Amino acid sequence: DSGVTQTPKHLITATGQRVTLRCSPRSGDLSVYWYQQSLDQGLQFLIQYYNGEERAKGNILERFSAQQFPDLHSELNLSSLELGDSALYFCASSQGAGEGETQYFGPGTRLLVL
Amino acid sequence: EDQVTQSPEALRLQEGESSSLNCSYTVSGLRGLFWYRQDPGKGPEFLFTLYSAGEEKEKERLKATLTKKESFLHITAPKPEDSATYLCALKGGSQGNLIFGKGTKLSVKP
């Protein structure tokens, strides 16, 4: 158990819908990262928040957005969903802003768009 | 551009048959090379971090090594419970995110 929690575990929805994925980092960690894992692409970085502020952006679509709240939990919002958005979404956390420290991953949310 | 390539894509071993997994990388300013283990449908589980060429780390049957261009994950006398996908990732440049390879899927048969 990494100490990172994610809800829900599974999500099934239809194209065009909007969903919210939630992540709670390990106690004391200030950074939260979101990654997407699909069969053909592997793990792809989406976005990082550090202490409530956006820190870095990766291959995140404009239909996707995220935020980190004062209690440091984070939410990833996915809208206008398409079939290709079906994937595993992982949250990871680390103590600082990302200077070579280890990231610990949550169990993931499996999203299926029908 | 920072890049990670893992080989082989899949590896089948008999129990007790030692082998190595390869992770080749190109990066401008390495700030960490990470190994994770991932079981199907689960989140990556942290194994090792290496920071500089020549560094080695061990944990049970696993040993990770690092050169300026490659990292190896050596598995000694593997057991069926070592079956998993092993992911290599690096952190470089100014961003904090990890860049992952596509992984090596290891199967160990009894």
Side-chain angles (χ1 to χ4, degrees), chain B residues 41-94:
Chain B
K42 303 284 179 70
E45 175 190 342
F46 171 70
L47 294 174
F48 303 109
T49 308
L50 302 166
Y51 291 105
S52 55
E55 193 174 356
E56 298 182 353
K57 289 198 176 165
E58 279 187 77
K59 178 181 176 181
E60 296 179 358
R61 295 178 293 282
L62 300 177
K63 178 179 175 180
T65 62
L66 183 65
T67 73
K68 288 188 177 178
K69 292 183 180 180
E70 293 175 304
S71 178
F72 293 93
L73 185 65
H74 307 277
I75 302 178
T76 302
K79 298 183 177 182
E81 54 261 42
D82 295 322
S83 297
T85 295
Y86 290 85
L87 298 169
C88 171
L90 63 78
K91 189 176 294 184
S94 58

